[in-house]
């Protein structure tokens, strides 16, 4: 292999020599045919030379210009009969002199497109490379990429410097003026590598006896076409003379003589004529063979490149279109999510107050039957509004892919019977029949998303009842399973059939679209038009599908199936309805609760709920007030609304956590956020838990019991209102006596609050009384909660 490589290298070298001979003979022929023109040239040419660029350009002991490029230019001047003198100076100086026209030529300039703007160049007289120098014993490089972010020494304004800047190889450059300076710095331990002219660097290192330096990695082409003679732009006559002189000295062997004089020690160039003759015939054959193959390969490669470029352009256009479409879709989704988040907060906040106060009023044992019925209407209407809002939000979550399946073990027959009981009432109100055909071989316990299955059946049966005015509705369920063991996969098949108005054939394909209602579009029915859309998405999430058959005027049949898993009875969680919290167990300490909420109605609702149960409560209407209250009162538990003016709950939670003892306080977010997925974000900001509005009162009490380890006394369903009052009150005479023993400031505060009919002030006064006398505060709290201010004033009267 090495022999073959050597033969190829020798052949290429001989080819270069043959080309040089051809050019030389052409130059000689031109020289013999016509005389050299010198009449337009200056009498004496001024040639610039660098101070210290060995061995290309140096200053000898006599102070004269010397070096390879100087000898080369002198040889050209002799054959072209030119009178010359040299002007020696630093590279930047002589380069600037040529640009200004103060000198006529430079003997050693590497070609570049930038320099071609101000200079004209001869054909290259020397091809040279840059090399990477390193200290022996350190890690070398295999490619230019290994130089990235290394400390590199190079000559300022040299082609090596331009190359490093252009390719952005490293930002850590150490700039010097000469090659010897660069090599001395590297040898002394400064910098990681040095990028320098290869031949100049080798000779300089040898002369300076820097034995700890060597070359690493491949040669780097930084000098473009190579080194040339350069003249001022537009000096065509001088350029022609110099090109002609170079051709002559290359043809007569003077060039090789000069080259070996300066570089023979490190890069010998001389080749004997015998070797030339030996390789001439072989080189010619190889040359033309390679030329033919190269031309054929080049043509094929160009055609393939054109085809690939066309494909790449097409792919780039397509990718750009897809990227733009994706960005537009993501922007639209973000905008929709922001809109839904804001609208959810605005809608849920007043709805939270409506449902919450309705629940509080339903707790009142003094409410009449008529009042209870009215409260029931308010509660049901509010729940209906909440259901419509949740439909819209569920549809949004489906569209953005946030809907997930939450599997649990359920009692299937019981759940179906609950739905039958609920739907039977609606059917009875519509004066139609509802038929349930239970299947005795149905599995008792299955594992699925109970909430979604319940919603699917309620939507389908509810639609059937809504659009049926005569006849009835029936529901049927069947199961298919090869095994009857826990963990086995089941397929449940459901059918909901009605004798209602039916659906026209042209509308069957669109009934599952958003905001489209099934049945007669002119019928007076209510709804969002999202029920069937959500139903189909839920069925798909549960591993099933849905189909519909219908005839106008005769009714419709909806069929769907879902995949479930057979479960064991031990996996079923027994559900017991929550009992109403009456008060805290007396033996335990009363925790301090801070409510941070900007909406007064929401704040009052939560405060009344907690005060009635015996909690010590204070309130703040924004995050800034919450910080002040925390510093002064040190609450055990904080209900934190997340969206407030002045300072929101996010910032307030972070600041409380940063305070002394702030990590010990429980902070629970209370928000009307759209998506439950925001819970992780809120908890990451410092909250311990998350409760959504509108909340149920048992959610509030359960959350505090979990985090504060509380126990409650629950109201008994059989407890009469009079018995409840007896358990929560002292005798009136004892209340009067206890109030009389209070400090004057507490009595005055309560009296002023009662006089001004200020609900919050009255509750605050009772709480402060509780700090001195918990029994008394517990006795008068029912009067405050029921706004029996005249009775409280009577209790205070004896001392007032």
């Amino acid at each position: 292999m090495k022999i073959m490589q050597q033969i190829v290298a020798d052949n290429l070298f001989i080819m270069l020599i043959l080309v040089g001979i051809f050019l030389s003979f052409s130059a000689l022929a031109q020289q013999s045919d016509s005389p050299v023109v010198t009449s337009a040239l200056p009498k004496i040419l001024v040639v610039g030379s660098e101070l210290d660029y060995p061995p290309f350009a140096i200053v000898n002991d006599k102070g004269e210009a010397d070096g390879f490029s100087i000898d080369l230019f002198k040889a050209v001047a002799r054959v072209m009969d030119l009178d010359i003198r040299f002007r020696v100076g630093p590279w930047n100086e002589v380069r600037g002199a040529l640009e200004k026209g103060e000198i006529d030529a430079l003997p050693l300039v590497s070609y570049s497109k930038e320099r071609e703007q101000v200079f004209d160049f001869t054909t290259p007289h020397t091809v040279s490379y840059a090399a990477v120098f390193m200290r022996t014993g350190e890690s070398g490089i295999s490619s230019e990429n290994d130089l990235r972010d290394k400390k590199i020494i190079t000559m300022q304004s040299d082609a090596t410097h331009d190359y490093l800047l252009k390719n952005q190889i490293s930002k850590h450059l150490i700039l010097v003026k000469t090659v010897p300076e660069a090599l001395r710095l590297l040898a002394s331990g400064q910098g990681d590598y040095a990028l320098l002219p290869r031949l100049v660097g080798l000779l300089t290192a040898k002369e300076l006896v820097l034995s700890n330096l060597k070359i690493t990695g491949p040669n780097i082409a930084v000098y473009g076409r190579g080194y040339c003679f350069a003249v001022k732009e537009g000096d065509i006559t001088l350029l022609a003379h110099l090109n002609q002189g170079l051709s002559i000295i290359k043809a007569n062997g003077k060039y090789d003589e000069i080259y070996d004089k300066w570089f023979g020690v490190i890069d010998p160039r001389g080749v004997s004529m015998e070797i030339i003759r030996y390789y001439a015939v072989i080189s010619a054959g190889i040359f033309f063979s390679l030329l033919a193959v190269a031309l054929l390969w080049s043509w094929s490669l160009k055609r393939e490149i054109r085809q690939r470029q066309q494909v790449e352009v097409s792919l780039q256009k397509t990718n750009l279109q897809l990227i733009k479409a994706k960005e537009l879709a993501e922007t639209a989704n973000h905008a929709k999510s922001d809109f839904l988040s804001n609208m959810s907060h605005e809608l849920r906040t007043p709805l939270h107050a409506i449902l919450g106060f309705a629940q509080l009023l339903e707790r009142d044992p003094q409410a009449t039957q008529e009042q209870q019925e009215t409260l029931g209407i308010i509660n049901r209407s509010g729940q209906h509004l909440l259901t419509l809002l949740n439909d819209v939000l569920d549809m949004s979550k489906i569209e953005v892919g946030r809907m997930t399946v939450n599997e649990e073990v359920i009692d299937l027959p019981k759940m179906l019977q609950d739905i039958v009981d609920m739907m039977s009432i609606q059917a009875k109100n519509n004066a139609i029949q509802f038929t349930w055909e239970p299947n005795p071989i149905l599995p008792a316990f299955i594992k699925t998303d109970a909430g979604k299955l319940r919603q699917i059946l309620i939507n389908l049966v509810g639609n059937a009842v809504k659009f049926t005015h005569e006849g009835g509705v029936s529901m049927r369920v069947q199961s298919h399973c090869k095994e009857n063991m826990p963990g086995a996969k089941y397929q449940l098949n459901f059918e909901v059939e009605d004798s209602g108005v039916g659906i026209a054939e042209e509308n069957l394909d669109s009934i599952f679209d958003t905001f489209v209602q099934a049945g007669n579009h002119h019928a007076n029915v209510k709804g969002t038009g999202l029920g069937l859309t959500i139903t189909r998405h839920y069925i798909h999430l549960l591993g099933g599908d849905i189909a519909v058959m219908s005839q106008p005027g005769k009714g419709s049949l909806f069929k769907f199936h879902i995949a479930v898993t057979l479960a064991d009875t031990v996996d079923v969680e027994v559900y017991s309805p929550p009992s109403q919290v009456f008060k805290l167990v007396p033996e335990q300490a009363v925790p301090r609760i801070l409510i941070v909420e900007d909406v007064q109605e929401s704040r009052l609702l939560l405060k009344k709920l907690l005060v009635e149960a015996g909690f010590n409560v204070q309130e703040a209407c924004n995050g800034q007030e919450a910080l002040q209250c925390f510093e002064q009162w040190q609450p055990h538990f904080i209900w934190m609304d997340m969206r407030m003016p002045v300072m929101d709950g996010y910032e307030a939670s972070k600041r409380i956590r940063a305070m002394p003892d702030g990590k010990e306080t429980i902070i629970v977010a209370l928000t009307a956020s759209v998506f439950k997925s925001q819970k992780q974000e809120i908890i990451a900001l410092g909250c311990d838990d998350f409760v959504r509005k509108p909340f149920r009162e048992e959610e509030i009490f359960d959350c505090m019991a979990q985090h504060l380890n509380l126990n409650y006394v629950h109201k008994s369903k059989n407890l009469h209102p009079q018995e409840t009052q007896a358990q929560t009150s002292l005798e009136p005479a004892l209340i009067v006596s206890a109030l009389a023993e209070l400090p004057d400031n507490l009595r005055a505060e309560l009296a002023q609050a009662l006089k001004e009919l200020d609900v919050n002030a009255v509750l605050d006064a009772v709480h402060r009384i509780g700090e001195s006398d918990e029994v008394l505060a517990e006795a008068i709290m029912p009067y405050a909660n029921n706004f029996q201010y005249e009775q409280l004033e009577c209790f205070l009267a004896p001392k007032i």
Side-chain angles (χ1 to χ4, degrees):
M1 180 61 71
K2 291 184 178 180
I3 296 175
M4 291 296 296
Q5 291 176 348
Q6 185 63 41
I7 292 174
V8 172
D10 291 341
N11 289 338
L12 292 175
F13 182 74
I14 296 304
M15 286 163 53
L16 291 175
I17 293 177
L18 291 175
V19 172
I21 292 173
F22 174 78
L23 294 176
S24 300
F25 278 111
S26 298
L28 288 172
Q30 293 176 2
Q31 186 182 26
S32 61
D33 290 340
S34 59
V36 177
V37 180
T38 59
S39 58
L41 297 176
K43 292 182 179 180
I44 299 177
L45 295 177
V46 180
V47 182
S49 178
E50 294 181 58
L51 280 172
D52 196 7
Y53 197 67
F56 286 97
I58 59 174
V59 177
N60 59 24
D61 298 336
K62 298 179 181 180
E64 299 172 344
D66 202 359
F68 169 78
S69 63
I70 305 304
D71 283 355
L72 203 61
F73 204 95
K74 288 178 179 179
V76 169
R78 280 193 294 270
V79 299
M80 299 303 296
D81 197 21
L82 301 174
D83 292 330
I84 61 173
R85 69 179 179 85
F86 290 94
R87 173 178 166 179
V88 179
W91 162 245
N92 287 335
E93 178 184 321
V94 294
R95 173 182 173 176
L98 181 59
E99 291 178 3
K100 297 174 184 177
E102 296 173 359
I103 61 176
D104 302 298
L106 288 172
L108 189 71
V109 183
S110 61
Y111 171 85
S112 70
K113 290 185 178 180
E114 293 78 6
R115 292 174 177 175
E116 195 176 34
Q117 303 299 318
V118 292
F119 302 144
D120 282 339
F121 292 85
T122 64
T123 56
H125 57 70
T126 306
V127 176
S128 182
Y129 296 93
V132 178
F133 289 78
M134 60 170 284
R135 291 180 290 273
T136 56
E138 296 187 1
S139 299
I141 66 168
S142 57
S143 69
E144 300 171 25
N145 291 330
D146 296 336
L147 295 175
R148 296 200 178 274
D149 298 325
K150 301 294 185 181
K151 293 181 180 179
I152 303 174
I153 305 171
T154 191
M155 287 193 299
Q156 186 174 11
S157 300
D158 186 66
T160 53
H161 184 199
D162 296 339
Y163 179 82
L164 291 171
L165 294 177
K166 180 179 180 181
N167 293 279
Q168 298 180 351
I169 290 178
S170 178
K171 297 179 181 179
H172 309 293
L173 301 181
I174 301 174
L175 302 180
V176 298
K177 294 183 179 180
T178 64
V179 173
E181 183 182 357
L183 291 174
R184 288 191 183 99
L185 285 178
L186 182 64
S188 65
Q190 298 187 45
D192 299 313
Y193 302 97
L195 182 63
L196 302 169
R198 179 178 177 275
L199 294 176
V200 177
L202 288 172
L203 271 178
T204 305
K206 185 177 181 64
E207 290 175 0
L208 298 176
V209 195
L210 300 175
S211 58
N212 66 329
L213 299 183
K214 67 175 184 179
I215 289 177
T216 180
N219 292 332
I220 302 176
V222 302
Y223 297 101
R225 299 174 186 172
Y227 288 125
C228 311
F229 293 161
V231 301
K232 197 173 188 315
E233 186 181 23
D235 197 347
I236 301 174
T237 302
L238 178 57
L239 188 67
H241 279 71
L242 296 178
N243 272 325
Q244 188 175 4
L246 280 172
S247 299
I248 293 172
I249 65 172
K250 285 184 178 180
N252 62 20
K254 187 63 177 178
Y255 177 90
D256 291 339
E257 178 183 337
I258 297 172
Y259 189 94
D260 286 339
K261 171 185 174 183
W262 293 98
F263 300 109
V265 177
I266 57 171
D267 189 24
R269 183 181 180 88
V271 181
S272 65
M273 293 303 294
E274 288 79 5
I275 296 177
I276 294 175
R277 286 193 294 269
Y278 178 80
Y279 286 112
V281 178
I282 298 175
S283 299
I286 294 175
F287 173 78
F288 288 110
S289 298
L290 291 174
L291 182 62
V293 173
L295 289 174
L296 180 62
W297 178 77
S298 177
W299 174 81
S300 175
L301 183 61
K302 286 180 180 179
R303 185 179 66 175
E304 185 177 351
I305 289 173
R306 281 196 300 269
Q307 293 174 348
R308 290 188 179 183
Q309 287 175 341
Q310 293 174 354
V311 173
E312 287 177 359
V313 169
S314 177
L315 287 174
Q316 288 175 355
K317 290 181 179 178
T318 303
N319 288 337
L320 286 175
Q321 293 172 353
L322 292 174
I323 291 171
K324 289 180 179 179
K326 180 183 177 183
E327 290 175 350
L328 289 174
E330 289 177 348
T331 301
N333 275 335
H334 285 309
K336 181 170 66 175
S337 295
D338 291 340
F339 170 77
L340 288 171
S341 178
N342 293 329
M343 289 306 299
S344 171
H345 188 273
E346 297 303 323
L347 292 172
R348 285 175 178 269
T349 298
L351 186 59
H352 163 63
I354 293 170
L355 293 175
F357 279 107
Q359 291 175 15
L360 277 178
L361 291 174
E362 284 181 327
R363 293 165 58 98
D364 186 2
Q366 306 298 330
T368 65
Q369 181 65 28
E370 183 180 356
Q371 290 172 335
Q372 291 287 353
E373 291 176 357
T374 302
L375 290 171
I377 293 172
I378 295 173
N379 216 336
R380 288 192 297 274
S381 299
Q383 291 294 341
H384 177 66
L385 180 59
L386 181 60
T387 300
L388 295 179
L389 176 60
N390 287 336
D391 279 351
V392 176
L393 297 179
D394 282 348
M395 192 66 247
S396 174
K397 286 188 277 187
I398 288 170
E399 288 178 350
V400 299
R402 295 188 180 183
M403 187 63 68
T404 58
V405 175
N406 301 309
E407 289 189 336
E408 58 182 302
V409 177
I410 61 171
D411 185 336
L412 179 61
K414 184 178 183 304
M415 188 195 76
L416 294 176
Q417 189 60 51
D418 289 344
I419 294 173
V420 169
D421 294 341
M422 186 184 349
M423 293 294 106
S424 295
I425 297 173
Q426 292 188 20
K428 185 177 181 180
N429 292 338
N430 280 16
I432 61 173
Q433 293 182 349
F434 179 66
T435 306
W436 158 236
E437 302 174 13
N439 189 332
I441 63 172
L442 281 178
F445 302 102
I446 62 170
K447 189 175 183 180
T448 187
D449 191 320
K452 290 183 176 57
L453 178 56
R454 180 186 297 272
Q455 192 63 47
I456 291 167
L457 293 172
I458 290 174
N459 286 349
L460 291 178
V461 177
N463 274 346
V465 172
K466 183 166 57 176
F467 290 102
T468 301
H469 308 297
E470 294 180 357
V473 175
S474 62
M475 182 174 74
R476 297 179 290 274
V477 186
Q478 293 181 343
S479 62
H480 295 283
C481 182
K482 295 181 180 180
E483 300 180 11
N484 192 20
M485 298 178 61
K489 299 297 182 182
Y490 258 75
Q491 178 175 301
L492 292 180
N493 298 325
F494 295 84
E495 294 182 0
V496 177
E497 189 172 12
D498 64 71
S499 59
V501 296
I503 306 169
E505 184 177 357
E506 61 270 18
N507 294 328
L508 286 176
D509 293 334
S510 62
I511 61 171
F512 293 106
D513 294 341
T514 53
F515 307 111
V516 174
Q517 289 191 334
N520 186 351
H521 290 262
H522 302 288
N524 184 21
V525 294
K526 300 178 181 179
T528 59
L530 294 173
L532 288 179
T533 306
I534 294 172
T535 296
R536 184 173 64 174
H537 279 288
Y538 281 0
I539 290 172
H540 289 168
L541 281 173
L542 298 181
D545 204 354
I546 186 171
V548 58
M549 295 177 287
S550 183
Q551 291 184 3
K554 294 187 178 181
S556 305
L557 172 63
F558 284 82
K559 294 182 176 182
F560 73 93
H561 67 271
I562 61 171
V564 300
T565 304
L566 186 63
D568 200 350
T569 56
V570 297
D571 299 325
V572 180
E573 294 183 5
V574 179
Y575 172 77
S576 58
S579 57
Q580 200 174 74
V581 172
F582 177 50
K583 63 177 181 178
L584 287 165
V585 171
E587 291 79 9
Q588 59 190 341
V590 178
R592 296 185 295 275
I593 310 297
L594 174 62
I595 301 172
V596 187
E597 167 68 71
D598 62 316
V599 180
Q600 183 180 3
E601 293 82 359
S602 299
R603 202 166 60 242
L604 179 59
L605 167 64
L606 187 54
K607 183 173 182 178
K608 285 179 66 66
L609 186 66
L610 298 181
V611 167
E612 286 184 4
F615 287 94
N616 193 357
V617 180
Q618 286 196 16
E619 54 186 294
C621 62
N622 58 60
Q624 189 66 46
E625 290 186 8
L627 296 179
Q628 297 172 0
C629 185
F630 181 85
E631 291 178 342
Q632 298 169 4
W633 197 48
Q634 295 292 311
H636 301 101
F637 190 104
I638 301 176
W639 286 108
M640 181 73 73
D641 185 26
M642 304 312 290
R643 295 183 59 172
M644 296 178 292
V646 183
M647 181 186 293
D648 60 25
Y650 297 96
E651 182 65 23
S653 298
K654 288 194 293 185
R655 294 196 183 187
I656 289 173
R657 290 298 187 214
M659 291 181 178
D661 300 327
K663 294 182 179 179
E664 305 300 325
T665 300
I666 303 299
I667 304 176
V668 176
L670 192 61
T671 178
S673 169
V674 180
F675 300 115
K676 288 183 179 179
S677 57
Q678 292 181 346
K679 178 178 179 180
Q680 298 301 324
E681 177 186 353
I682 291 175
I683 290 178
L685 290 172
C687 293
D688 296 281
D689 211 337
F690 174 98
V691 173
R692 299 178 71 201
K693 301 176 187 175
F695 55 74
R696 298 187 304 275
E697 63 179 63
E698 59 265 23
E699 290 182 284
I700 297 297
F701 288 119
D702 290 347
C703 182
M704 291 192 296
Q706 175 187 348
H707 291 288
L708 296 177
N709 194 25
L710 299 177
N711 294 310
Y712 303 114
V713 175
H714 294 271
K715 286 187 179 180
S716 171
K717 294 183 179 179
N718 300 323
L719 193 64
H720 296 292
Q722 294 79 6
E723 294 172 343
T724 303
Q725 181 70 19
Q727 289 188 28
T728 59
S729 303
L730 296 173
E731 292 294 331
L734 293 177
I735 294 177
V736 172
S737 175
L739 286 172
E741 295 177 1
L742 284 177
D744 291 341
N745 64 322
L746 291 180
R747 289 173 54 82
E749 181 182 354
L750 178 58
Q752 184 65 27
L754 292 171
K755 182 178 179 181
E756 294 176 356
L757 301 179
D758 189 330
V759 176
N760 290 330
V762 170
L763 294 175
D764 288 341
V766 173
H767 278 302
R768 273 185 275 279
I769 291 172
E771 294 175 1
S772 301
D773 190 336
E774 292 185 13
V775 176
L776 173 60
E778 184 178 347
I780 65 175
M781 182 59 75
Y783 295 96
N785 288 332
N786 293 319
F787 309 104
Q788 295 174 304
Y789 294 165
E790 292 181 2
Q791 184 63 51
L792 287 175
E793 287 179 335
C794 291
F795 291 153
L796 283 170
K799 197 169 182 178
I800 294 177

